[in-house]
Amino acid sequence: MIIGETPLPAGALGIDAIAMTMRFGDFLALDNVELKVRPGSFHALLGENGAGKSTLVKCIMGYYHPTEGDVLVGGREQAIANPKDAHALGLAWCISILRWCRR
């Protein structure tokens, strides 16, 4: 926490991705994506390969820095520079591995 900064409220926090855009050179991976996760809930991102699921989560979690857009945690804009910052805010990412699933 930064001295003089108001701490985040205790308990579950919501996460918002606002106008998230990510470019890799000329390739547009995310185009103005919006996501709202309400406090105390969890979600799964489903989609085809190349749809941008991992890219969006990597932007939220600090692995990538989006070309445009913001992340709000608990209704406050957060600069998440790396995964350690995301963890300090209570954020986590669980990756599903297909081979764990029975067919």
XYZ file of all heavy atoms in Angstrom:
773
model
N 0.843 -1.180 0.000
C 0.000 0.000 0.000
C 0.886 1.240 0.000
O 1.923 1.275 0.649
C -0.914 -0.012 1.223
C -1.876 1.145 1.215
S -3.132 1.065 2.488
C -2.262 1.819 3.817
N 0.463 2.259 -0.683
C 1.175 3.522 -0.758
C 0.720 4.407 0.397
O -0.476 4.478 0.708
C 0.902 4.217 -2.112
C 1.413 3.333 -3.248
C 1.537 5.591 -2.161
C 1.032 3.805 -4.625
N 1.668 5.067 1.055
C 1.336 5.951 2.175
C 0.369 7.025 1.706
O 0.569 7.655 0.668
C 2.617 6.592 2.760
C 3.495 5.499 3.358
C 2.271 7.651 3.798
C 4.843 5.966 3.830
N -0.695 7.219 2.462
C -1.709 8.208 2.120
C -2.806 7.678 1.219
O -3.802 8.345 0.991
N -2.623 6.468 0.688
C -3.638 5.863 -0.176
C -4.685 5.164 0.673
O -4.370 4.523 1.669
C -2.981 4.852 -1.114
C -3.949 4.220 -2.091
C -3.248 3.257 -3.027
O -2.284 3.670 -3.677
O -3.668 2.098 -3.089
N -5.929 5.285 0.289
C -7.010 4.617 0.997
C -6.963 3.132 0.690
O -6.924 2.743 -0.482
C -8.381 5.182 0.555
O -8.365 6.589 0.727
C -9.508 4.563 1.350
N -6.934 2.278 1.724
C -6.873 0.840 1.458
C -8.162 0.332 0.819
O -9.236 0.923 0.974
C -6.673 0.224 2.844
C -7.139 1.258 3.803
C -6.961 2.593 3.139
N -8.045 -0.775 0.102
C -9.231 -1.409 -0.475
C -10.103 -1.947 0.648
O -9.600 -2.334 1.707
C -8.817 -2.551 -1.405
C -8.162 -2.140 -2.711
C -7.565 -3.358 -3.412
C -9.148 -1.445 -3.619
N -11.409 -2.002 0.442
C -12.294 -2.541 1.471
C -12.015 -4.026 1.713
O -11.523 -4.726 0.830
C -13.697 -2.329 0.893
C -13.508 -2.049 -0.549
C -12.120 -1.570 -0.750
N -12.328 -4.482 2.915
C -12.150 -5.889 3.256
C -13.225 -6.724 2.567
O -14.289 -6.220 2.218
C -12.225 -6.073 4.768
N -12.949 -8.002 2.383
C -13.930 -8.902 1.779
C -13.740 -9.022 0.286
O -12.760 -8.567 -0.285
N -14.714 -9.658 -0.337
C -14.661 -9.903 -1.782
C -14.745 -8.596 -2.564
O -15.476 -7.686 -2.180
C -15.801 -10.835 -2.186
N -13.993 -8.517 -3.631
C -13.970 -7.326 -4.482
C -14.359 -7.695 -5.907
O -14.058 -8.784 -6.380
C -12.567 -6.715 -4.508
C -11.999 -6.271 -3.171
C -10.539 -5.864 -3.329
C -12.809 -5.126 -2.602
N -15.012 -6.783 -6.585
C -15.324 -6.974 -7.989
C -14.142 -6.581 -8.853
O -13.251 -5.852 -8.426
N -14.139 -7.086 -10.071
C -13.100 -6.758 -11.047
C -13.792 -6.284 -12.320
O -14.743 -6.903 -12.783
C -12.236 -7.985 -11.391
C -11.617 -8.584 -10.144
C -11.154 -7.621 -12.410
C -11.007 -9.941 -10.401
N -13.312 -5.196 -12.880
C -13.822 -4.681 -14.144
C -12.665 -4.484 -15.109
O -11.647 -3.898 -14.737
C -14.523 -3.332 -13.948
C -15.733 -3.416 -13.067
O -16.767 -3.877 -13.559
O -15.638 -3.036 -11.890
N -12.818 -4.965 -16.325
C -11.913 -4.631 -17.424
C -12.685 -3.641 -18.281
O -13.789 -3.932 -18.736
C -11.535 -5.871 -18.226
N -12.125 -2.466 -18.456
C -12.806 -1.382 -19.155
C -12.069 -1.079 -20.461
O -10.887 -0.729 -20.444
C -12.840 -0.103 -18.283
C -13.395 -0.396 -16.890
C -13.602 1.019 -18.983
C -14.839 -0.815 -16.867
N -12.778 -1.219 -21.583
C -12.247 -0.858 -22.904
C -10.863 -1.457 -23.150
O -9.962 -0.798 -23.662
C -12.229 0.652 -23.078
N -10.688 -2.740 -22.799
C -9.388 -3.409 -22.903
C -9.060 -3.710 -24.357
O -9.806 -4.403 -25.053
C -9.427 -4.702 -22.090
C -8.088 -5.347 -21.871
S -7.013 -4.456 -20.742
C -7.933 -4.503 -19.223
N -7.941 -3.169 -24.811
C -7.444 -3.391 -26.163
C -5.996 -3.837 -26.052
O -5.236 -3.293 -25.257
C -7.534 -2.103 -27.002
O -8.917 -1.735 -27.109
C -6.957 -2.279 -28.390
N -5.639 -4.855 -26.838
C -4.262 -5.346 -26.842
C -3.836 -5.621 -28.262
O -4.505 -6.347 -28.992
C -4.158 -6.622 -25.998
C -2.764 -7.172 -25.891
S -1.730 -6.072 -24.905
C -0.131 -6.779 -25.192
N -2.732 -4.997 -28.641
C -2.145 -5.200 -29.962
C -0.773 -5.837 -29.812
O -0.028 -5.495 -28.903
C -1.980 -3.873 -30.698
C -3.257 -3.241 -31.128
C -2.973 -1.993 -31.989
N -4.209 -1.458 -32.514
C -4.850 -1.921 -33.569
N -4.344 -2.932 -34.249
N -5.971 -1.386 -33.972
N -0.481 -6.759 -30.709
C 0.860 -7.303 -30.853
C 1.306 -6.896 -32.247
O 0.941 -7.547 -33.230
C 0.851 -8.829 -30.698
C 0.434 -9.293 -29.327
C -0.865 -9.715 -29.096
C 1.340 -9.304 -28.278
C -1.255 -10.150 -27.840
C 0.964 -9.736 -27.012
C -0.340 -10.157 -26.789
N 2.003 -5.781 -32.354
C 2.345 -5.227 -33.669
C 1.068 -4.825 -34.386
O 0.254 -4.079 -33.850
N 0.854 -5.356 -35.580
C -0.353 -5.061 -36.349
C -1.533 -5.950 -35.977
O -2.653 -5.712 -36.410
C -0.085 -5.208 -37.855
C 0.825 -4.117 -38.393
O 0.885 -3.037 -37.772
O 1.483 -4.358 -39.426
N -1.272 -6.998 -35.179
C -2.331 -7.948 -34.822
C -3.150 -7.413 -33.645
O -2.606 -7.096 -32.589
C -1.727 -9.304 -34.462
C -2.767 -10.315 -34.052
C -3.618 -10.872 -34.996
C -2.909 -10.683 -32.732
C -4.581 -11.799 -34.623
C -3.860 -11.601 -32.343
C -4.704 -12.161 -33.287
N -4.461 -7.322 -33.829
C -5.372 -6.868 -32.787
C -5.914 -8.084 -32.042
O -6.762 -8.815 -32.561
C -6.522 -6.065 -33.406
C -7.564 -5.483 -32.459
C -6.921 -4.504 -31.474
C -8.660 -4.798 -33.258
N -5.407 -8.325 -30.827
C -5.811 -9.496 -30.047
C -7.083 -9.230 -29.239
O -7.924 -10.118 -29.097
C -4.682 -9.916 -29.115
N -7.214 -8.035 -28.681
C -8.419 -7.621 -27.948
C -8.860 -6.282 -28.495
O -8.038 -5.389 -28.691
C -8.136 -7.465 -26.450
C -7.652 -8.681 -25.675
C -7.300 -8.281 -24.241
C -8.690 -9.787 -25.692
N -10.159 -6.128 -28.702
C -10.677 -4.894 -29.281
C -11.780 -4.328 -28.393
O -12.937 -4.732 -28.476
C -11.206 -5.167 -30.689
C -11.621 -3.904 -31.426
O -11.314 -2.790 -30.942
O -12.250 -4.032 -32.484
N -11.402 -3.439 -27.466
C -12.376 -2.723 -26.630
C -13.244 -3.686 -25.797
O -14.463 -3.566 -25.755
C -13.236 -1.830 -27.515
C -13.907 -0.722 -26.732
O -13.340 -0.201 -25.780
N -15.116 -0.366 -27.123
N -12.598 -4.649 -25.145
C -13.302 -5.672 -24.371
C -13.753 -5.124 -23.025
O -13.015 -4.394 -22.359
C -12.396 -6.906 -24.157
C -13.043 -7.920 -23.236
C -12.056 -7.533 -25.504
N -14.954 -5.470 -22.640
C -15.514 -5.107 -21.332
C -15.833 -6.390 -20.575
O -16.407 -7.324 -21.134
C -16.801 -4.295 -21.497
C -16.667 -3.033 -22.317
C -16.173 -1.833 -21.522
O -16.343 -1.832 -20.290
O -15.605 -0.931 -22.149
N -15.466 -6.448 -19.295
C -15.764 -7.595 -18.451
C -16.056 -7.093 -17.048
O -15.334 -6.235 -16.537
C -14.576 -8.562 -18.406
C -14.701 -9.749 -17.451
C -15.713 -10.762 -17.993
C -13.349 -10.414 -17.253
N -17.110 -7.606 -16.453
C -17.449 -7.238 -15.076
C -17.652 -8.527 -14.289
O -18.497 -9.349 -14.648
C -18.713 -6.391 -15.033
C -19.074 -5.914 -13.644
C -20.285 -4.992 -13.695
C -20.501 -4.284 -12.393
N -19.586 -3.181 -12.148
N -16.866 -8.690 -13.234
C -16.998 -9.830 -12.331
C -17.439 -9.272 -10.987
O -16.726 -8.498 -10.361
C -15.664 -10.602 -12.194
C -15.823 -11.771 -11.235
C -15.200 -11.080 -13.564
N -18.628 -9.654 -10.566
C -19.186 -9.127 -9.316
C -18.471 -9.716 -8.104
O -17.978 -10.840 -8.152
C -20.668 -9.444 -9.238
C -21.479 -8.767 -10.319
C -22.956 -9.158 -10.210
N -23.682 -8.706 -11.373
C -24.311 -7.528 -11.443
N -24.301 -6.711 -10.434
N -24.951 -7.196 -12.546
N -18.427 -8.974 -7.007
C -17.771 -9.479 -5.789
C -18.353 -10.821 -5.348
O -19.565 -11.032 -5.399
C -18.075 -8.404 -4.740
C -18.361 -7.170 -5.524
C -18.992 -7.636 -6.812
N -17.467 -11.733 -4.961
C -17.897 -13.020 -4.442
C -18.288 -14.036 -5.489
O -18.704 -15.130 -5.159
N -18.169 -13.702 -6.760
C -18.536 -14.638 -7.824
C -17.271 -15.132 -8.519
O -16.185 -14.620 -8.295
C -19.465 -13.966 -8.840
O -18.776 -12.958 -9.547
N -17.428 -16.134 -9.336
C -16.326 -16.577 -10.174
C -16.893 -16.908 -11.542
O -18.077 -17.183 -11.693
C -15.554 -17.753 -9.567
C -16.361 -19.010 -9.454
C -16.311 -19.973 -10.442
C -17.161 -19.238 -8.342
C -17.052 -21.133 -10.339
C -17.904 -20.396 -8.231
C -17.854 -21.345 -9.216
N -16.049 -16.860 -12.541
C -16.487 -17.036 -13.918
C -15.509 -17.910 -14.679
O -14.344 -18.021 -14.320
C -16.579 -15.680 -14.630
C -17.628 -14.795 -14.059
N -18.848 -14.643 -14.637
C -17.643 -14.033 -12.951
C -19.579 -13.813 -13.908
N -18.857 -13.432 -12.880
N -15.982 -18.487 -15.756
C -15.137 -19.217 -16.697
C -15.196 -18.476 -18.024
O -16.258 -18.018 -18.434
C -15.639 -20.644 -16.869
N -14.061 -18.336 -18.664
C -14.014 -17.761 -20.010
C -13.911 -18.908 -20.992
O -12.960 -19.691 -20.946
C -12.804 -16.838 -20.168
C -12.820 -15.556 -19.363
C -11.510 -14.796 -19.560
C -13.984 -14.686 -19.768
N -14.896 -19.011 -21.850
C -14.932 -20.088 -22.836
C -14.912 -19.504 -24.234
O -15.518 -18.461 -24.479
C -16.199 -20.926 -22.659
C -16.418 -21.544 -21.281
C -17.785 -22.215 -21.218
C -15.322 -22.522 -20.960
N -14.235 -20.160 -25.130
C -14.212 -19.704 -26.507
C -13.221 -20.499 -27.322
O -12.448 -21.301 -26.793
N -13.240 -20.258 -28.596
C -12.351 -20.965 -29.515
C -10.907 -20.544 -29.298
O -10.628 -19.494 -28.703
C -12.764 -20.656 -30.956
C -14.150 -21.166 -31.311
C -14.520 -20.873 -32.745
O -13.605 -20.660 -33.573
O -15.717 -20.870 -33.045
N -9.995 -21.373 -29.797
C -8.584 -21.001 -29.773
C -8.399 -19.681 -30.511
O -8.979 -19.469 -31.567
C -7.727 -22.080 -30.449
C -7.657 -23.343 -29.634
O -7.951 -23.343 -28.441
N -7.254 -24.423 -30.272
N -7.622 -18.786 -29.915
C -7.355 -17.508 -30.555
C -8.408 -16.446 -30.306
O -8.324 -15.354 -30.860
N -9.398 -16.730 -29.449
C -10.475 -15.773 -29.197
C -10.041 -14.615 -28.295
O -10.728 -13.603 -28.226
C -11.679 -16.491 -28.584
N -8.920 -14.769 -27.565
C -8.437 -13.688 -26.704
C -8.635 -13.930 -25.217
O -8.375 -13.043 -24.416
N -9.065 -15.123 -24.842
C -9.324 -15.428 -23.429
C -8.077 -15.246 -22.569
O -8.085 -14.503 -21.590
C -9.838 -16.865 -23.274
C -11.071 -17.203 -24.077
C -11.403 -18.682 -24.001
C -10.320 -19.599 -24.517
N -10.058 -19.550 -25.960
N -7.007 -15.921 -22.949
C -5.769 -15.840 -22.170
C -5.177 -14.438 -22.222
O -4.639 -13.953 -21.222
C -4.748 -16.857 -22.676
O -5.203 -18.164 -22.426
N -5.268 -13.794 -23.359
C -4.738 -12.437 -23.489
C -5.454 -11.490 -22.531
O -4.807 -10.680 -21.851
C -4.870 -11.942 -24.942
O -4.155 -12.832 -25.795
C -4.336 -10.532 -25.099
N -6.770 -11.589 -22.426
C -7.525 -10.740 -21.512
C -7.087 -10.975 -20.069
O -6.799 -10.027 -19.330
C -9.028 -11.001 -21.654
C -9.928 -10.256 -20.668
C -9.807 -8.748 -20.829
C -11.378 -10.707 -20.841
N -7.011 -12.232 -19.667
C -6.630 -12.536 -18.290
C -5.189 -12.107 -18.018
O -4.883 -11.573 -16.953
C -6.847 -14.028 -17.980
C -6.337 -14.375 -16.595
C -8.323 -14.382 -18.098
N -4.304 -12.287 -18.991
C -2.918 -11.865 -18.809
C -2.809 -10.350 -18.675
O -1.949 -9.849 -17.940
C -2.040 -12.371 -19.948
C -1.778 -13.863 -19.849
C -0.971 -14.373 -21.028
C -0.738 -15.869 -20.896
N 0.017 -16.405 -22.046
N -3.675 -9.608 -19.334
C -3.710 -8.150 -19.159
C -4.199 -7.784 -17.751
O -3.641 -6.895 -17.105
C -4.609 -7.502 -20.209
S -3.912 -7.457 -21.868
N -5.223 -8.462 -17.281
C -5.755 -8.194 -15.940
C -4.733 -8.571 -14.873
O -4.567 -7.864 -13.874
C -7.082 -8.955 -15.724
C -8.176 -8.377 -16.621
C -7.511 -8.913 -14.257
C -9.451 -9.199 -16.668
N -4.021 -9.673 -15.082
C -3.106 -10.205 -14.072
C -1.693 -9.612 -14.125
O -0.848 -9.959 -13.319
C -3.019 -11.728 -14.207
C -4.319 -12.450 -13.912
S -4.918 -12.206 -12.231
C -3.619 -12.987 -11.294
N -1.418 -8.721 -15.074
C -0.132 -8.046 -15.107
C 0.958 -8.752 -15.895
O 2.108 -8.313 -15.890
N 0.623 -9.850 -16.578
C 1.608 -10.498 -17.440
C 1.832 -9.667 -18.701
O 2.940 -9.617 -19.220
C 1.139 -11.902 -17.846
C 1.184 -12.905 -16.719
C 0.056 -13.144 -15.936
C 2.349 -13.611 -16.440
C 0.086 -14.066 -14.904
C 2.388 -14.530 -15.407
C 1.256 -14.755 -14.646
O 1.289 -15.666 -13.622
N 0.760 -9.078 -19.223
C 0.817 -8.168 -20.362
C 0.331 -6.807 -19.892
O -0.449 -6.701 -18.943
C -0.113 -8.612 -21.493
C 0.211 -9.901 -22.192
C -0.781 -10.559 -22.909
C 1.481 -10.467 -22.183
C -0.525 -11.742 -23.585
C 1.740 -11.648 -22.857
C 0.737 -12.283 -23.550
O 0.985 -13.441 -24.214
N 0.763 -5.776 -20.607
C 0.263 -4.426 -20.359
C -0.578 -4.035 -21.567
O -0.046 -3.938 -22.677
C 1.419 -3.462 -20.136
C 2.257 -3.853 -18.955
N 3.619 -3.885 -18.995
C 1.905 -4.279 -17.722
C 4.076 -4.287 -17.825
N 3.062 -4.535 -17.037
N -1.886 -3.834 -21.370
C -2.761 -3.568 -22.513
C -2.372 -2.289 -23.250
O -1.857 -1.346 -22.646
C -4.151 -3.450 -21.886
C -3.909 -3.128 -20.456
C -2.597 -3.753 -20.100
N -2.649 -2.298 -24.538
C -2.414 -1.112 -25.359
C -3.322 0.022 -24.904
O -2.899 1.178 -24.845
C -2.696 -1.450 -26.843
O -1.948 -2.622 -27.186
C -2.320 -0.316 -27.752
N -4.566 -0.316 -24.564
C -5.541 0.641 -24.037
C -6.411 -0.082 -23.024
O -6.534 -1.301 -23.056
C -6.441 1.188 -25.155
C -5.727 1.998 -26.198
C -6.667 2.444 -27.308
O -7.863 2.654 -27.043
O -6.196 2.554 -28.445
N -7.049 0.694 -22.159
C -8.000 0.130 -21.216
C -7.508 0.172 -19.786
O -6.349 0.488 -19.508
N -8.412 -0.127 -18.891
C -8.138 -0.049 -17.463
C -8.670 -1.277 -16.747
O -9.589 -1.943 -17.227
C -8.810 1.194 -16.863
C -8.262 2.479 -17.435
O -7.038 2.686 -17.356
O -9.057 3.265 -17.986
N -8.103 -1.525 -15.567
C -8.589 -2.563 -14.669
C -9.028 -1.878 -13.385
O -8.282 -1.087 -12.800
C -7.498 -3.606 -14.358
C -7.997 -4.617 -13.341
C -7.045 -4.307 -15.628
N -10.270 -2.179 -12.972
C -10.780 -1.686 -11.699
C -10.922 -2.870 -10.752
O -11.432 -3.919 -11.141
C -12.149 -1.025 -11.864
C -12.200 0.419 -12.341
C -11.620 0.570 -13.726
C -13.618 0.924 -12.312
N -10.442 -2.707 -9.539
C -10.604 -3.701 -8.492
C -11.292 -2.999 -7.341
O -10.816 -1.969 -6.852
C -9.249 -4.293 -8.040
C -9.446 -5.300 -6.918
C -8.524 -4.932 -9.213
N -12.442 -3.529 -6.942
C -13.207 -2.870 -5.889
C -13.677 -1.487 -6.285
O -13.809 -0.604 -5.447
N -13.886 -1.291 -7.601
C -14.379 -0.002 -8.090
C -13.314 1.062 -8.253
O -13.619 2.192 -8.620
N -12.047 0.706 -7.990
C -10.950 1.680 -8.102
C -9.960 1.237 -9.162
O -9.581 0.073 -9.224
C -10.237 1.820 -6.756
C -11.135 2.447 -5.723
C -10.512 2.662 -4.368
N -9.067 2.667 -4.337
C -8.383 2.427 -3.229
N -8.993 2.137 -2.107
N -7.068 2.453 -3.251
N -9.536 2.180 -9.997
C -8.558 1.878 -11.031
C -7.254 1.421 -10.391
O -6.796 2.013 -9.404
C -8.319 3.109 -11.895
C -7.444 2.847 -13.091
C -7.310 4.064 -13.991
O -8.219 4.903 -14.015
O -6.258 4.147 -14.653
N -6.694 0.351 -10.930
C -5.451 -0.195 -10.400
C -4.420 -0.314 -11.511
O -4.734 -0.770 -12.601
C -5.687 -1.588 -9.795
C -6.631 -1.608 -8.621
C -6.065 -0.927 -7.392
O -4.863 -0.883 -7.179
N -6.942 -0.378 -6.573
N -3.201 0.070 -11.218
C -2.078 -0.141 -12.132
C -1.430 -1.456 -11.726
O -0.745 -1.520 -10.712
C -1.092 1.009 -12.042
N -1.676 -2.505 -12.487
C -1.143 -3.827 -12.176
C 0.053 -4.054 -13.101
O -0.101 -4.393 -14.265
C -2.220 -4.913 -12.344
C -3.402 -4.604 -11.421
C -1.649 -6.289 -12.057
C -4.601 -5.514 -11.588
N 1.246 -3.831 -12.567
C 2.463 -3.889 -13.374
C 2.963 -5.305 -13.593
O 3.678 -5.566 -14.559
C 3.559 -3.055 -12.714
N 2.581 -6.217 -12.694
C 3.088 -7.583 -12.777
C 2.177 -8.510 -11.962
O 1.315 -8.032 -11.218
C 4.533 -7.644 -12.281
C 4.668 -7.076 -10.884
O 3.989 -7.506 -9.954
N 5.539 -6.088 -10.724
N 2.358 -9.812 -12.086
C 1.505 -10.751 -11.348
C 1.585 -10.587 -9.828
O 0.608 -10.842 -9.122
C 2.023 -12.124 -11.781
C 2.600 -11.885 -13.140
C 3.214 -10.509 -13.060
N 2.715 -10.133 -9.322
C 2.846 -9.901 -7.879
C 1.870 -8.808 -7.420
O 1.256 -8.929 -6.360
C 4.290 -9.526 -7.536
C 4.560 -9.451 -6.062
C 6.027 -9.199 -5.787
C 6.268 -9.107 -4.301
N 7.678 -8.874 -3.997
N 1.713 -7.764 -8.217
C 0.740 -6.708 -7.897
C -0.679 -7.276 -7.884
O -1.480 -6.938 -7.016
C 0.805 -5.573 -8.927
C 2.058 -4.725 -8.826
O 2.826 -4.880 -7.849
O 2.280 -3.915 -9.744
N -0.989 -8.125 -8.876
C -2.321 -8.735 -8.937
C -2.571 -9.592 -7.700
O -3.643 -9.528 -7.090
C -2.459 -9.572 -10.211
N -1.590 -10.376 -7.309
C -1.720 -11.227 -6.122
C -1.943 -10.381 -4.868
O -2.759 -10.731 -4.016
C -0.473 -12.108 -5.972
C -0.559 -13.052 -4.830
N 0.013 -12.790 -3.612
C -1.183 -14.249 -4.707
C -0.240 -13.793 -2.789
N -0.969 -14.686 -3.431
N -1.238 -9.267 -4.760
C -1.398 -8.378 -3.599
C -2.815 -7.811 -3.514
O -3.284 -7.471 -2.425
C -0.373 -7.243 -3.668
N -3.496 -7.730 -4.660
C -4.886 -7.258 -4.691
C -5.877 -8.395 -4.469
O -7.084 -8.186 -4.483
C -5.183 -6.574 -6.031
C -4.454 -5.256 -6.268
C -4.551 -4.854 -7.737
C -5.027 -4.170 -5.372
N -5.372 -9.620 -4.307
C -6.235 -10.776 -4.083
C -6.704 -11.448 -5.347
O -7.633 -12.253 -5.319
N -6.062 -11.151 -6.483
C -6.463 -11.747 -7.753
C -5.682 -13.038 -8.003
O -4.498 -13.125 -7.675
C -6.208 -10.780 -8.911
C -6.885 -9.417 -8.810
C -6.534 -8.577 -10.028
C -8.374 -9.559 -8.662
N -6.348 -14.007 -8.593
C -5.714 -15.277 -8.952
C -6.290 -15.763 -10.264
O -7.399 -15.414 -10.636
C -5.942 -16.313 -7.856
N -5.514 -16.595 -10.943
C -5.902 -17.125 -12.239
C -5.719 -18.626 -12.193
O -4.638 -19.129 -11.919
C -5.025 -16.501 -13.308
C -5.196 -16.988 -14.705
C -6.287 -17.619 -15.236
C -4.266 -16.859 -15.776
N -6.086 -17.881 -16.568
C -4.841 -17.428 -16.918
C -3.004 -16.321 -15.875
C -4.200 -17.470 -18.146
C -2.375 -16.363 -17.102
C -2.959 -16.922 -18.221
N -6.778 -19.354 -12.458
C -6.732 -20.817 -12.498
C -6.856 -21.247 -13.952
O -7.844 -20.947 -14.607
C -7.874 -21.432 -11.689
S -7.781 -21.029 -9.950
N -5.862 -21.963 -14.433
C -5.841 -22.407 -15.820
C -6.406 -23.820 -15.891
O -6.006 -24.683 -15.125
C -4.407 -22.397 -16.374
C -3.808 -21.003 -16.233
C -4.377 -22.879 -17.809
C -2.327 -20.947 -16.511
N -7.323 -24.048 -16.804
C -7.840 -25.405 -16.994
C -6.950 -26.127 -17.991
O -6.520 -25.567 -18.989
C -9.285 -25.373 -17.489
O -9.339 -24.807 -18.775
N -6.676 -27.351 -17.682
C -5.873 -28.187 -18.562
C -6.780 -29.320 -19.050
O -7.315 -30.078 -18.262
C -4.647 -28.777 -17.830
C -3.799 -27.664 -17.203
C -3.827 -29.651 -18.766
C -3.166 -26.713 -18.192
N -6.959 -29.424 -20.352
C -7.889 -30.376 -20.932
C -7.591 -31.812 -20.500
O -8.499 -32.578 -20.240
C -7.888 -30.270 -22.445
C -8.904 -31.102 -23.196
C -10.323 -30.726 -22.744
C -8.781 -30.897 -24.684
N -6.339 -32.171 -20.348
C -6.019 -33.550 -20.009
C -6.489 -33.934 -18.616
O -6.500 -35.093 -18.258
C -4.539 -33.828 -20.182
C -3.661 -33.030 -19.278
C -2.198 -33.253 -19.673
N -1.454 -32.052 -19.374
C -0.548 -31.968 -18.423
N -0.233 -33.005 -17.713
N 0.078 -30.831 -18.185
N -6.874 -32.961 -17.779
C -7.417 -33.259 -16.461
C -8.854 -33.728 -16.543
O -9.375 -34.294 -15.609
C -7.361 -32.045 -15.563
C -5.989 -31.597 -15.192
C -4.818 -32.253 -15.396
C -5.645 -30.384 -14.541
N -3.767 -31.528 -14.911
C -4.242 -30.373 -14.379
C -6.383 -29.305 -14.081
C -3.569 -29.316 -13.771
C -5.714 -28.257 -13.469
C -4.322 -28.274 -13.322
N -9.496 -33.494 -17.657
C -10.906 -33.812 -17.808
C -11.073 -35.218 -18.364
O -10.356 -35.620 -19.278
C -11.586 -32.811 -18.751
S -11.470 -31.108 -18.189
N -12.045 -35.926 -17.843
C -12.369 -37.245 -18.384
C -13.234 -37.088 -19.621
O -14.065 -36.212 -19.696
C -13.117 -38.075 -17.355
C -12.251 -38.499 -16.225
C -12.998 -39.447 -15.359
N -12.079 -39.931 -14.341
C -12.422 -40.722 -13.389
N -13.669 -41.138 -13.278
N -11.548 -41.120 -12.508
N -13.083 -37.988 -20.538
C -13.894 -37.941 -21.751
C -14.885 -39.051 -21.728
O -14.731 -40.100 -21.270
C -13.008 -38.048 -22.980
C -12.158 -36.829 -23.105
C -11.311 -36.952 -24.337
N -10.430 -35.820 -24.357
C -10.117 -35.158 -25.423
N -10.587 -35.495 -26.578
N -9.318 -34.150 -25.376
